[in-house]
Amino acid sequence: MTRASTTQPSRPPGGTASGPPSADLQTLLILDRDAEEYAERLSDLSRGPLQLLHARGPEDLPEAASGASVVLGEPGLVAAAWKRLPALTWVQSTWAGVTPLLPLAKQGVTVTGVKAVFGAQMAEYVLGGLLRHVLKMPEREMAQRARRWWPEPTGTLEGLTLGVMGTGSIGSVIGERARAFGMRVIGFSRSGSMSKDGANPFDRVYPGDALHAFLGACDHVAAVLPDTPATRGLLDEAAFASLRPGAVLINVGRGTLISEAALLSALESGRLGGVLLDVFETEPLPKDHPFWDAPGLVLTAHVAARSWPKDIAAIFRENLQRYLAGAPLRFRVDPERGY
């Protein structure tokens, strides 16, 4: 899920976005790299007066797209095409990350996000990373390549404490799955409150001003926090010093959470037991970036969870019914909070 610039564009003339205006919808645009699949899944919507358009990118926009008041699409693509969508009032994101859409939201466009569909994928990624570490799979693979019998015992996740940074729908599922391995689970959130998006697997949730106490209680940490002013650079040198020696850090939220220099220092000092990163400040990661060769760091190319059209289309259908009825939309983004 790549990120676009968050520079605030000027609002194009013509269109307002004071909220869902109900049944005056005439043109609906799908702007996504999977636009054809979305269009097929939503083809029934084109019956009657509603015109359903789709494009894989801003360069493919049909001329009639200028009349679209509703867009279902990737945040970066929608942000890039915004000035060509003067009638836009509501954007349903197809991704969890909505940073490129925040400038639109701040100027009145209703933006809705995606929840309750990425938890299982993220949890598998996080638990896979932790199991790889405690089972010492990298060392075993090295021993195999050297044709060396290496009967060292494995570790275990049972009894360890997993700290989950972000206690929403994704963090809750991660915590729930971690409990199945016998782990104790604690959470960290801005408010220090339990999740309202499903199960509450947390023994305790630490508030935003208790970061170091939270980190000091963790054997391992999984981060799923959004990109907001309050989260940028949150894991800095002091934060890494608060972690228990040998802790594994897995970040599947946003790359801006981590001070890259501080992380490299913690790795080089041997304080961290390992790091698994799926998100970065700059994506794709530049070829000369020191993360490629950092000791104990494994990276993946923002693949921990994918937006499957079948899941997102279902969310959009429900929200579209609400929109046409003038009812509150689900998962509406607060432009000040950033999520």
Side-chain angles (χ1 to χ4, degrees):
M1 298 182 221
T2 53
R3 239 177 248 99
S5 169
T6 58
T7 301
Q8 184 164 318
S10 300
R11 175 68 183 160
T16 63
S18 56
S22 73
D24 63 350
L25 175 62
Q26 296 181 353
T27 305
L28 188 160
L29 172 66
I30 300 168
L31 185 55
D32 191 280
R33 279 174 283 186
D34 291 321
E36 290 83 1
E37 182 174 350
Y38 277 110
E40 183 177 347
R41 291 183 176 277
L42 299 169
S43 60
D44 59 294
L45 298 179
S46 61
R47 297 170 186 168
L50 179 61
Q51 183 179 27
L52 182 63
L53 306 174
H54 67 275
R56 299 186 74 248
E59 67 282 358
D60 300 322
L61 281 181
E63 185 175 345
S66 61
S69 56
V70 173
V71 175
L72 168 67
E74 293 181 24
L77 299 182
V78 176
W82 186 35
K83 291 186 178 181
R84 298 169 60 187
L85 302 171
L88 184 61
T89 62
W90 167 40
V91 179
Q92 170 65 63
S93 172
T94 56
W95 289 359
V98 295
T99 300
L101 297 175
L102 295 182
L104 285 71
K106 289 177 180 179
Q107 294 200 33
V109 175
T110 297
V111 175
T112 51
V114 177
K115 291 186 179 181
V117 296
F118 299 119
Q121 295 181 70
M122 293 286 199
E124 290 177 3
Y125 183 97
V126 169
L127 270 299
L130 291 176
L131 287 169
R132 177 181 182 273
H133 175 76
V134 299
L135 297 178
K136 303 178 182 177
M137 297 310 296
E139 295 91 333
R140 299 185 192 286
E141 291 166 2
M142 289 176 62
Q144 178 181 339
R145 288 194 292 270
R147 297 177 179 266
R148 177 168 56 91
W149 190 252
W150 198 65
E152 291 295 315
T154 67
T156 180
L157 294 179
E158 187 172 6
L160 298 182
T161 296
L162 176 65
V164 181
M165 302 183 73
T167 58
S169 60
I170 294 174
S172 295
V173 176
I174 292 173
E176 192 176 33
R177 302 292 170 88
R179 280 195 173 280
F181 285 87
M183 301 189 79
R184 176 174 179 263
V185 182
I186 59 177
F188 173 85
S189 72
R190 180 184 58 84
S191 64
S193 61
M194 294 285 191
S195 168
K196 297 178 181 178
D197 298 312
N200 284 324
F202 307 105
D203 290 297
R204 178 179 178 182
V205 177
Y206 290 73
D209 60 359
L211 174 64
H212 292 179
F214 162 78
L215 294 173
C218 300
D219 292 300
H220 303 304
V221 176
V224 289
L225 288 172
D227 176 20
T228 71
T231 63
R232 289 169 198 155
L234 192 63
L235 292 184
D236 56 13
E237 187 173 347
F240 288 123
S242 298
L243 278 169
R244 294 177 179 177
V248 171
L249 169 66
I250 300 177
N251 188 16
V252 290
R254 288 294 175 263
T256 53
L257 175 72
I258 294 173
S259 164
E260 295 185 345
L263 176 59
L264 288 168
S265 177
L267 282 168
E268 290 166 359
S269 71
R271 182 171 188 83
L272 288 171
V275 175
L276 174 57
L277 301 180
D278 188 53
V279 288
F280 308 89
E281 284 192 38
T282 302
E283 297 180 7
L285 193 68
K287 292 185 181 298
D288 60 351
H289 199 286
F291 278 176
W292 292 107
D293 301 309
L297 188 152
V298 176
L299 60 86
T300 56
H302 210 144
V303 296
R306 179 185 171 186
S307 294
W308 296 101
K310 64 180 179 63
D311 297 326
I312 310 304
I315 291 174
F316 177 65
R317 277 185 181 279
E318 180 181 349
N319 257 350
L320 182 62
Q321 291 175 352
R322 290 170 174 264
Y323 178 90
L324 294 174
L329 303 184
R330 296 187 72 199
F331 313 137
R332 184 164 179 168
V333 172
D334 182 334
E336 300 307 318
R337 290 186 177 182
Y339 57 91

